[in-house]
Amino acid sequence: MRERLARYLPCLEWARHYDREAAGKDGLAAVIVTLMLIPQSLAYAMLAGLPPVTGLYASILPLLAYTLFGTSRALAVGPVAVVSLMTAAALGPLFPTGSAAYAGAALLLALLSGLLLLLMAVLRLGFLASFLSHPVISGFISASGILIALGQLKHILGIQVTGEHAFELLHGLLTGLPATHLPTLAIGGSSLVFLFLVRNKLSGWLQAIGFTPRLAGNLAKAGPVVALLLSILAVSLLGLADAGVRVVGSVPTGLPALSLPPLDLVLAGKLLPAALLISLVGFVESVSVAQTLAAKRRQRIDPNQELVALSGANIAAALSGGFPVTGGFARSVVNYDAGAQTPLAGALTAAGIAITVLFFAPLFHNLPQAVLAATIIVAVLSLVDLGALKRTWRYSRQDAAAMAATMLGVLLVGVEAGILLGVGLSLLLFLWRTSQPHIAVVGQLPGSEHFRNVARFAVVESPRVLSVRVDESLYFPNARYLEDRIAELVGQHPQVEHLVLMCSGVNLIDASALESLEAISERLHAAGIQLHLSEVKGPVMDRLKHSDLLKHFGGRVFISQFEALAELDPQTTQRAIGERHHEYSTSTLSQSARKEIDSEKRP
Amino acid sequence: MRERLARYLPCLEWARHYDREAAGKDGLAAVIVTLMLIPQSLAYAMLAGLPPVTGLYASILPLLAYTLFGTSRALAVGPVAVVSLMTAAALGPLFPTGSAAYAGAALLLALLSGLLLLLMAVLRLGFLASFLSHPVISGFISASGILIALGQLKHILGIQVTGEHAFELLHGLLTGLPATHLPTLAIGGSSLVFLFLVRNKLSGWLQAIGFTPRLAGNLAKAGPVVALLLSILAVSLLGLADAGVRVVGSVPTGLPALSLPPLDLVLAGKLLPAALLISLVGFVESVSVAQTLAAKRRQRIDPNQELVALSGANIAAALSGGFPVTGGFARSVVNYDAGAQTPLAGALTAAGIAITVLFFAPLFHNLPQAVLAATIIVAVLSLVDLGALKRTWRYSRQDAAAMAATMLGVLLVGVEAGILLGVGLSLLLFLWRTSQPHIAVVGQLPGSEHFRNVARFAVVESPRVLSVRVDESLYFPNARYLEDRIAELVGQHPQVEHLVLMCSGVNLIDASALESLEAISERLHAAGIQLHLSEVKGPVMDRLKHSDLLKHFGGRVFISQFEALAELDPQTTQRAIGERHHEYSTSTLSQSARKEIDSEKRP
């Protein structure tokens, strides 16, 4: 009983062993993450097109929800750049930024993605997320980073730029350049420099003057908050707000009131696709961070329970005046490095944010938007990894194509279009590839029972038996292709009496391929050749038993290619295996193994 | 040179060896096919919503075109039921049936599908056709047959029924029943009975009274023409046309005038999707007939050249007042049985139809539409094979689902929707299936170097080495699933020191799966287990060489699972192989082979 409950409320598990030491570590981590989260939550709310305070609201209840349901010890939930961008992209076309309708729609969006995540958890649809392939996600995040940075530059320059796509933004920035507001640029530019230095150099300098690496690192994390305070100070003292420097303005004090989002079904219908993509992207990003961090401490997370936890976090955000949230990469790493032991660190962070809203909200009135923009730019540029495109291209042109398509889609068309384009292309390329599979004639490796490609290995071929290995599941896109290739191969080997189809690479034979196999066996019969199968896998065999193929095709199903040859052409086979009797040498095999690794042929 | 020319004009090849004997056989076949084609071409034109004479036009030039370019010796091209139905479905919503615009659009449709077929031939896109899986095509043809038969019943009853979908038609027929026109029903009903008898019994009766089976069969083929003549006679003598029996009406005499279809780009855009599906369906149907017949005589056809030939036939139809055509199943079989030796039989059939148009056109004025409807019904009902659904279900529920979806789509939504639904569902089911692949722990078959599933075979397992076989290509939809399953398996085998991933079933490792493998290897390291690979295929290995996995993962790539075990756990392996030394028995293997075939387990 307690077991089952603990599966849905993991907090019951870790709470039992919770002690003072863990509390200390969680507390320290919470302080550091809070200092990091304050500027980020304000900034990402601005990025999402919402009042900055909603960012703080989105960093209280959602964190508590994750503490209750989450299985990761180090994941830090809250507003993140990419999801905020997707929120803006979904709501921008529907409502004027800053309007009440816009804010209401953001709540509805969070509610929808919360419900979708719950649905995925209940129906065990977590695997849907895996259709966002690694190249697509990585391309998506890099492109989003660029798009976000471009979108924030207007705040640094203090100019008005409208537009969503890379070109529009670039054009707007160039044409707007002359109108640059110098005081804003001064603040924005200096905070950019400051934040870059803090991020990349400060920890080093602090260590140089004797701080311990750990302390130095933690202090460096507080950099953005320092930037906030300095800029607020500057604005207040120099009266820059009156000089036209755009500031956050009055921020309401007090905790968010609980309320239901506007339950507008028509609007919900419009937002559903965006909500689905936000859920999937958020889930993928969050789970991969959680898994990486868990692996470092040999802990495991339960992906399906993570769906529940993220669902809870988003529903909480929807009820408490926030917007869609998920587990953030940078923040979680900081949380982990700072020594967070349990999800309670998240609850303590929430407390920190709550205190901020209760007591320091008025402070943010004079906070320049330029500084928030600078925090965003510095944060997202670290997500941009263009090298990944080159690395992927070196490994697989098809994956690289999917990645490039995603990036171009995001930059030139839109975030949703980018993802769909990438996923669609990945699937198409896979199907195209499986529609013309690699088919190899195989022979026996001397001194072994193993059969490999005659074009790559020094193998023994039987003059009477043609051994063909098909490197693909047999299903409708390649059924006819198989017929043609087999006919070709038989044409090239007129003297053979048997053809053994080695099915080690065949993981499925669907109805279309079954038809093809029957056709192939008939045509081979006509040519006086008998078809056999070998190394058919259990699940495939179970199906074949329900078909007429085995009854009619007249051939046999051999347990292994070796057994097939041992029966159909004993002389050749025994000669090839021969060496075994005086001395069994792995070296020959390893050599051929090496030969395979060095082989450049790709028949 | 002549060789290359002959590839694009196969007629040059067979024409060289053409002799009187072949001519005689082709001639006889042509006479029989002509007698069969006259009623069918009139009927299918009506089915396509066009004046009957266009059916005759579509049976002259297109046949000549195929004679020039076709590679099948027996394929009979012309109007066919399914394509005529698709034509009606494509044009019906756009223009009033019988209007000049409708007929013009039919020409444009033929031109478009001709050009698309040519494009497919040039770009070698014939493989696209294989995405119409066998279950989808078979379900599509059966459902179309039912839909066509339902649509023709109104002509038998002599009532007006509008509607495209099964329910609309049924409802229309039931409500229209009281208005049944009895003279029409008399003619329609009697010809239905007559045609059924001719089709199923006549040949038997003729043989009973001493005709040779061959002659009897050929005479039976003339049945529909007899029905035509008898009904024309009846209508003329009894003046049934005035009694309200709908007749074909005046049919223009003389060959069709050559002319370009209306080149309306907007209309072309609207028709493109339909044209594409017509091309694909026509190509699939035609090629499968051609391949079956060619195999019977050990001939081969060139699918790509078939694209050219069908393209030529459709362009010819577009230029000579016809509508989309393709190779017909029944007609081709008759052509083959009647002894057609070369495509020239097609040219002679064209001549027969030309003579008909030139001299017998006036004859058809009094031909009742009810009789044409009867010919269609008798023809299409032979295409309906509902048993296929049961057979497919027995073999694969997924394929059966795709088939059922296609049939329901065709009957309830429309022909195009049906195909798209079927293809889409097939692909989705395949992706869903590959997203959670079959993963087996394997052990060594005693007395062999072969490794099989421990859950199905009596095998030897190493206590120190865990052998895992993944039965799927490793790509993004299953990358994360693999991580979870491996973690599970390791949890179940805490004592192992090595995990060998047997990749015989892995035909691709994409970038996402590569990431997963790196993650897996790291996590195994953390747990003190070393990851190795075995039986990696050449093309997959070529890619891995371009990645960092091999450098970092610290394991080895073994040529075979056996070599892996021989190195990592020699004792167990040698003990298992042991039996070989005193006596090598295939019988043990065959037993396990039999065990596999009988096995009911599906882990």
Side-chain angles (χ1 to χ4, degrees):
Chain A
M1 176 52 205
R2 184 188 183 81
E3 274 309 305
R4 292 201 53 232
L5 196 59
R7 237 185 75 219
Y8 298 108
L9 282 175
C11 51
L12 297 179
E13 202 46 42
W14 54 260
R16 271 158 62 203
H17 318 295
Y18 203 73
D19 56 17
R20 171 165 293 159
E21 189 207 348
K25 291 181 170 175
D26 284 344
L28 173 63
V31 171
I32 294 165
V33 174
T34 306
L35 290 180
M36 184 178 178
L37 186 51
I38 293 169
Q40 280 193 359
S41 54
L42 294 167
Y44 292 150
M46 187 174 87
L47 168 56
L50 293 160
V53 70
T54 56
L56 296 169
Y57 294 166
S59 310
I60 302 174
L61 275 196
L63 278 63
L64 293 176
Y66 186 84
T67 303
L68 290 180
F69 301 111
T71 61
S72 161
R73 300 294 180 101
L75 191 70
V77 174
V80 305
V82 173
V83 168
S84 304
L85 173 68
M86 294 178 83
T87 305
L91 304 181
L94 300 178
F95 305 100
T97 312
S99 65
Y102 189 105
L107 298 176
L108 185 55
L109 191 61
L111 181 65
L112 284 175
S113 72
L115 295 176
L116 284 171
L117 287 160
L118 193 60
L119 194 71
M120 285 193 252
V122 174
L123 302 181
R124 304 252 146 196
L125 291 180
F127 77 90
L128 279 181
S130 51
F131 279 94
L132 297 178
S133 69
H134 196 275
V136 168
I137 280 292
S138 127
F140 174 73
I141 290 181
S142 290
S144 305
I146 297 171
L147 203 59
I148 294 173
L150 279 175
Q152 293 305 311
L153 278 177
K154 62 171 187 275
H155 295 300
I156 304 282
L157 299 172
I159 57 177
Q160 292 293 343
V161 173
T162 58
E164 292 182 350
H165 317 328
F167 283 151
E168 294 171 12
L169 291 171
L170 273 174
H171 175 264
L173 287 169
L174 292 177
T175 50
L177 213 47
T180 302
H181 186 257
L182 293 175
T184 309
L185 178 58
I187 289 201
S190 50
S191 41
L192 260 183
V193 176
F194 176 80
L195 290 170
F196 268 112
L197 292 179
V198 165
R199 185 187 198 85
N200 307 319
K201 299 264 182 296
L202 182 59
S203 155
W205 293 339
L206 290 174
Q207 292 178 47
I209 61 171
F211 283 87
T212 67
R214 183 186 190 79
L215 182 54
N218 289 340
L219 283 175
K221 297 288 182 308
V225 169
V226 177
L228 251 60
L229 297 175
L230 289 180
S231 62
I232 292 172
L233 208 62
V235 171
S236 313
L237 296 181
L238 310 175
L240 291 175
D242 313 331
V245 173
R246 296 177 156 274
V247 293
V248 164
S250 62
V251 176
T253 307
L255 294 173
L258 289 188
S259 68
L260 269 182
L263 299 174
D264 172 346
L265 286 183
V266 181
L267 180 57
K270 280 193 206 147
L271 294 179
L272 202 57
L276 182 61
L277 285 181
I278 288 177
S279 318
L280 288 177
V281 170
F283 177 58
V284 173
E285 206 184 340
S286 172
V287 158
S288 38
V289 185
Q291 264 167 339
T292 322
L293 297 179
K296 285 193 187 177
R297 286 202 197 133
R298 312 226 179 142
Q299 296 162 340
R300 273 192 64 68
I301 65 156
D302 168 358
N304 211 63
Q305 180 61 25
E306 283 300 294
L307 282 168
V308 178
L310 289 177
S311 157
N314 276 289
I315 293 176
L319 299 180
S320 59
F323 55 94
V325 296
T326 189
F329 179 73
R331 210 175 303 145
S332 304
V333 174
V334 170
N335 192 30
Y336 176 90
D337 291 341
Q341 293 299 304
T342 72
L344 194 68
L348 297 173
T349 309
I353 299 291
I355 292 167
T356 314
V357 187
L358 282 172
F359 304 108
F360 305 115
L363 203 63
F364 300 121
H365 181 288
N366 280 346
L367 171 60
Q369 293 182 351
V371 177
L372 291 181
T375 357
I376 297 180
I377 292 175
V378 175
V380 294
L381 285 189
S382 66
L383 299 177
V384 179
D385 173 12
L386 296 176
L389 190 55
K390 196 153 134 286
R391 288 197 301 280
T392 310
W393 172 266
R394 230 177 46 237
Y395 178 69
S396 153
R397 301 189 167 4
Q398 292 175 22
D399 283 313
M403 188 187 272
T406 312
M407 297 177 80
L408 291 177
V410 169
L411 289 174
L412 306 183
V413 189
V415 281
E416 299 179 8
I419 292 186
L420 298 178
L421 198 63
V423 173
L425 189 59
S426 315
L427 293 177
L428 275 183
L429 287 171
F430 176 78
L431 290 171
W432 174 77
R433 193 184 166 294
T434 56
S435 72
Q436 30 210 352
H438 176 255
I439 296 181
V441 174
V442 293
Q444 184 177 5
L445 281 177
S448 86
E449 299 182 0
H450 195 53
F451 284 71
R452 294 307 283 253
N453 189 340
V454 297
R456 291 170 177 268
F457 293 87
V459 290
V460 180
E461 276 186 278
S462 158
R464 304 171 39 226
V465 183
L466 182 61
S467 301
V468 178
R469 190 189 73 205
V470 186
D471 291 349
E472 198 54 69
S473 289
L474 303 180
Y475 75 126
F476 59 96
N478 57 33
R480 189 163 285 113
Y481 178 85
L482 181 70
E483 297 181 29
D484 299 345
R485 284 300 308 280
I486 296 279
E488 243 176 68
L489 287 172
V490 171
Q492 295 159 6
H493 301 73
Q495 78 293 352
V496 299
E497 301 154 21
H498 301 275
L499 188 149
V500 184
L501 207 59
M502 183 176 174
C503 300
S504 52
V506 175
N507 306 310
L508 163 76
I509 296 181
D510 79 351
S512 312
L514 190 69
E515 294 283 336
S516 296
L517 282 179
E518 278 161 0
I520 288 170
S521 119
E522 277 171 24
R523 290 173 201 165
L524 289 178
H525 266 295
I529 302 175
Q530 176 59 55
L531 175 71
H532 304 276
L533 304 178
S534 82
E535 309 203 1
V536 179
K537 296 174 181 183
V540 178
M541 199 65 208
D542 292 339
R543 288 192 160 200
L544 286 183
K545 281 177 341 200
H546 295 294
S547 76
D548 300 344
L549 179 69
L550 298 183
K551 302 190 195 84
H552 302 341
F553 88 128
R556 286 187 48 187
V557 179
F558 293 100
I559 189 71
S560 71
Q561 190 65 21
F562 175 76
E563 196 212 358
L565 270 288
E567 295 223 345
L568 301 173
D569 186 353
Q571 297 84 336
T572 316
T573 316
Q574 291 309 330
R575 184 157 44 78
I577 202 86
E579 286 134 54
R580 149 97 25 77
H581 290 300
H582 25 89
E583 154 235 332
Y584 171 74
S585 71
T586 333
S587 59
T588 30
L589 293 180
S590 316
Q591 270 158 25
S592 25
R594 229 163 285 116
K595 178 177 170 204
E596 157 131 348
I597 294 169
D598 306 341
S599 152
E600 278 312 330
K601 290 212 207 103
R602 293 204 55 180
Chain B
M1 178 52 207
R2 184 190 183 80
E3 273 311 303
R4 290 200 56 232
L5 196 60
R7 234 185 77 217
Y8 298 108
L9 281 175
C11 54
L12 296 179
E13 204 44 45
W14 53 261
R16 273 158 63 202
H17 320 293
Y18 204 74
D19 57 15
R20 171 165 295 157
E21 191 207 350
K25 291 183 169 173
D26 284 344
L28 173 64
V31 172
I32 294 165
V33 173
T34 306
L35 290 180
M36 186 178 177
L37 186 52
I38 293 169
Q40 280 192 357
S41 54
L42 294 167
Y44 292 149
M46 186 173 89
L47 169 57
L50 293 159
V53 70
T54 55
L56 295 170
Y57 293 166
S59 309
I60 302 175
L61 276 196
L63 278 64
L64 293 176
Y66 187 84
T67 303
L68 290 180
F69 301 111
T71 61
S72 160
R73 299 294 181 103
L75 191 71
V77 174
V80 304
V82 173
V83 168
S84 304
L85 173 68
M86 294 177 84
T87 306
L91 304 182
L94 299 178
F95 305 100
T97 312
S99 65
Y102 189 105
L107 298 177
L108 186 55
L109 192 61
L111 182 64
L112 285 175
S113 72
L115 294 176
L116 283 171
L117 286 161
L118 193 59
L119 194 70
M120 286 192 251
V122 174
L123 302 181
R124 303 256 150 191
L125 291 180
F127 78 90
L128 278 181
S130 50
F131 279 95
L132 297 178
S133 70
H134 195 274
V136 168
I137 279 291
S138 130
F140 175 73
I141 289 181
S142 290
S144 305
I146 297 171
L147 203 58
I148 293 171
L150 279 176
Q152 294 304 310
L153 279 177
K154 63 171 185 276
H155 295 299
I156 305 283
L157 300 172
I159 58 178
Q160 292 294 343
V161 173
T162 59
E164 292 180 350
H165 317 326
F167 284 151
E168 294 171 16
L169 291 170
L170 274 175
H171 176 261
L173 288 168
L174 293 178
T175 50
L177 214 47
T180 302
H181 185 256
L182 293 174
T184 310
L185 179 58
I187 289 200
S190 51
S191 38
L192 260 184
V193 175
F194 175 82
L195 290 170
F196 268 112
L197 292 178
V198 166
R199 185 185 196 87
N200 307 321
K201 299 264 182 297
L202 183 59
S203 157
W205 294 341
L206 291 174
Q207 291 179 47
I209 59 172
F211 284 86
T212 67
R214 182 187 189 81
L215 183 54
N218 290 340
L219 283 175
K221 297 289 182 304
V225 168
V226 177
L228 251 59
L229 297 175
L230 289 179
S231 61
I232 291 171
L233 209 62
V235 171
S236 313
L237 296 181
L238 310 176
L240 291 177
D242 313 332
V245 172
R246 296 176 155 276
V247 294
V248 165
S250 61
V251 175
T253 306
L255 296 173
L258 289 188
S259 68
L260 270 182
L263 300 175
D264 171 346
L265 287 183
V266 180
L267 180 57
K270 281 192 204 149
L271 294 178
L272 202 57
L276 181 62
L277 284 181
I278 287 178
S279 318
L280 288 176
V281 170
F283 176 59
V284 172
E285 206 183 341
S286 171
V287 159
S288 39
V289 185
Q291 263 167 340
T292 322
L293 296 179
K296 286 193 186 177
R297 288 205 195 129
R298 313 226 177 139
Q299 297 162 340
R300 274 192 63 69
I301 65 156
D302 169 359
N304 211 61
Q305 179 62 22
E306 283 300 293
L307 282 169
V308 178
L310 289 177
S311 158
N314 276 290
I315 292 174
L319 299 179
S320 60
F323 55 94
V325 296
T326 189
F329 180 75
R331 210 176 302 146
S332 304
V333 173
V334 169
N335 193 31
Y336 176 91
D337 292 341
Q341 293 299 304
T342 73
L344 194 68
L348 296 173
T349 309
I353 299 291
I355 293 168
T356 316
V357 187
L358 282 172
F359 304 108
F360 304 115
L363 204 62
F364 299 121
H365 180 287
N366 281 347
L367 172 58
Q369 293 182 347
V371 178
L372 292 181
T375 15
I376 298 179
I377 292 173
V378 174
V380 295
L381 285 188
S382 67
L383 299 177
V384 179
D385 173 13
L386 296 177
L389 190 55
K390 198 153 130 287
R391 287 196 302 280
T392 311
W393 173 265
R394 235 182 33 243
Y395 178 67
S396 151
R397 295 177 171 18
Q398 292 175 21
D399 283 314
M403 187 187 272
T406 313
M407 297 178 80
L408 290 178
V410 169
L411 290 174
L412 306 182
V413 188
V415 282
E416 298 179 7
I419 293 186
L420 299 179
L421 198 62
V423 173
L425 189 59
S426 314
L427 294 177
L428 275 184
L429 287 171
F430 175 78
L431 290 172
W432 174 77
R433 195 187 165 295
T434 56
S435 72
Q436 32 210 352
H438 176 254
I439 295 181
V441 174
V442 294
Q444 185 178 6
L445 280 177
S448 86
E449 299 182 359
H450 193 55
F451 283 71
R452 294 308 283 256
N453 190 340
V454 296
R456 291 170 177 267
F457 293 88
V459 291
V460 180
E461 275 185 277
S462 158
R464 303 171 40 224
V465 184
L466 182 59
S467 302
V468 178
R469 191 189 73 204
V470 185
D471 291 349
E472 198 54 69
S473 291
L474 303 181
Y475 76 125
F476 59 96
N478 57 33
R480 189 163 286 111
Y481 178 85
L482 181 70
E483 297 181 30
D484 299 345
R485 284 302 308 279
I486 296 278
E488 245 176 66
L489 288 172
V490 171
Q492 295 159 8
H493 301 74
Q495 77 294 354
V496 299
E497 301 153 20
H498 300 274
L499 188 149
V500 183
L501 207 57
M502 181 177 175
C503 299
S504 51
V506 175
N507 306 310
L508 163 75
I509 296 181
D510 80 352
S512 311
L514 190 68
E515 294 283 337
S516 296
L517 282 179
E518 280 162 358
I520 288 170
S521 124
E522 278 170 22
R523 292 174 201 166
L524 288 179
H525 266 297
I529 302 175
Q530 176 59 55
L531 175 70
H532 304 275
L533 304 178
S534 82
E535 309 203 3
V536 179
K537 295 172 181 184
V540 178
M541 199 65 210
D542 292 340
R543 286 190 161 201
L544 286 183
K545 277 174 353 202
H546 295 294
S547 76
D548 300 342
L549 179 68
L550 298 184
K551 301 192 198 85
H552 303 339
F553 87 128
R556 285 190 47 189
V557 178
F558 293 99
I559 190 70
S560 70
Q561 191 65 23
F562 175 75
E563 196 211 357
L565 270 289
E567 296 224 345
L568 300 173
D569 186 355
Q571 296 85 334
T572 315
T573 315
Q574 290 309 332
R575 183 158 46 76
I577 202 86
E579 286 134 53
R580 153 92 28 73
H581 290 297
H582 27 89
E583 155 234 332
Y584 171 76
S585 70
T586 332
S587 59
T588 31
L589 291 182
S590 316
Q591 272 157 22
S592 25
R594 231 163 283 117
K595 178 177 171 207
E596 159 132 350
I597 294 171
D598 306 340
S599 154
E600 279 311 331
K601 291 211 207 101
R602 293 203 58 181

